[in-house]
Amino acid sequence: MIGIDLGTTNSLVSVCDENGPRVLANELGEDLTPSVVAVAEDGAVLVGRAAKDRLITNPEAGQAFFKRDMGTTTTYAFGGRRWSPVECSAVVLREMKRIAETHLGREVDSAVITVPAYFHDQQRQATVNAASIAGLRVERLLNEPTAAALAYEFNREDDLNTLLVFDLGGGTFDVTVLECFDGVVEIKASSGDGRLGGEDYTEALIAWMAKELGHAAPKDQQMRWRNVVEHLKRRFTTEETVEVQIGEKKVPISRADFIDATNHITMRLWPAVRRALNDAQLTLKQIDAVLLVGGASRMPAVQDMVRHDLGTEPQRSLDPDRVVALGAAVQQALCVGGSAVRDIVLTDVCPHSLGVEVAKALLPGHSQPGYFDPILDRNTTVPVSRSRNYRTLHPQQEQVILKVFQGESRLTKENHLIGMIRIDGLKSAQDDPQGGMFEVRFTYDMNGILEVEVTISSNGKKLTEVFEQRPGTMTREQIAEALKLLGSLKQHPRESPANRALIERAHRLFTELTGLLRDALTQELDQFEAALESQDPKLISAASESLDAFMKPYFAGDD
Ligand code: AMP
């Protein structure tokens, strides 16, 4: 069993042994594998760095940031067919599984996978489906900030007990308040914004640049602009002013410009912090430490916000890029009863309120549907099971379509519909003027997946989780079909992923060079391809070293 941090921008795979949790590197020696999928010219499915590089030269050949679309019906067209976010995630998960198998030297069939605490039921279900396609059973879906807290608890040397985990990733923002004491990690509350993250800063900087240059990125330059800006954004972590070259033009930009251009995004961070504190019934003063998680939490503007608005110097003992993956490994060890983690106990909460739609009788004989009646309040400790009784509107009424919603609004139309259950045979036996009664029980487990059980009071008949098909989720048959399709796609026809990545990188460099340098690269590349053709490991290794050495100076400092 392994731990996987399936991130918006990067994914990581980890294990935990007697020495504690560690992240496993891919063939390129990197812990972070870009969450990008592409299809190469020969039809091979590329993942990670190779896919990312391919997108720079051929933006239409693949997809990044699909985690943001999990649980929706969005599809992407590339490689001659349509891909769902679930399938793209499956390709990344399969790669994580492969990396782990290479390290461990044996087959891996299950995983602890982290998801943003703010993922709703459909997004969680979509993640489980992606894992099945990748050939992994999900042992546990673990909320990312909870994973961070587990890693923190594992490494803890201080006695700071009340923590706020501030997790700003590529696409999502999660805030979690928790208490750690005597090896117990108790999540108090969790809140966030599912569409706020580092990529919004990138977008804002791209818009700023377009304004400065007087035009938007031409279509074939969009990926390049994004890369330039991504690089720029990272440099602001340590530098005050940087110069950006686009085409012929050099534009100086200062950290202050960057902070100004993105201030409206930083402002959106605060409400989630306030809500998490309110739900945990704590004040800022009671927070002992703020733990920063997610690559985007490295931005000085974000750290300043923590320092000023939260009044705390952020904790930096754990690497924000790796802490979630390390926590996933700790959880994995907890699941199998590993010796390194015997002393840690975890309790979590459900991040959204869950309930059903009801009609309110506002005037006699007149009822108004569309109201949300919560059965589980947000931030209730899980696992939890609670029930409520309901009546039909009329004594003669036979049937109710029970709609299950997730959200915080009083009106269901502003919440998220999870599914519907048709309840028949409700007419009350004695024609009770108050209508037939039934009990609705919600059970929410540690994976954040909801089970609904309905019991009809008059005859004791039970219905369990009979959801109709939901958008973005897949039936067993659909999963089997996707599995077959992915299985039949050639993944790495003759080269290893490392060689593939080298070629994509060389193609990317080719578009950037001119003249003699381009000729020199062509020569290196030809030699490498000839070596691959020969299938002689010695030739391949020599040619790949030479090509790699040639390209290194051009990518120095690249991510
Ligand atoms: P994650 O989803 O946690 O991998 O976070 C990735 C996000 O963090 C992306 O939006 C990156 O652009 C951003 N990021 C990573 N490192 C830095 C950095 N040094 N400065 C600013 N943003 C960063």
Side-chain angles (χ1 to χ4, degrees), residues 7-10 168-171 197-199 202 230 233-234 237 294-296 298-299 320-321:
T8 310
T9 358
N10 294 300
L168 190 60
E199 295 315 311
T202 307
E230 174 68 36
K233 196 173 72 168
R234 284 165 196 253
T237 307
R298 289 210 170 91
M299 284 184 288
D321 283 327

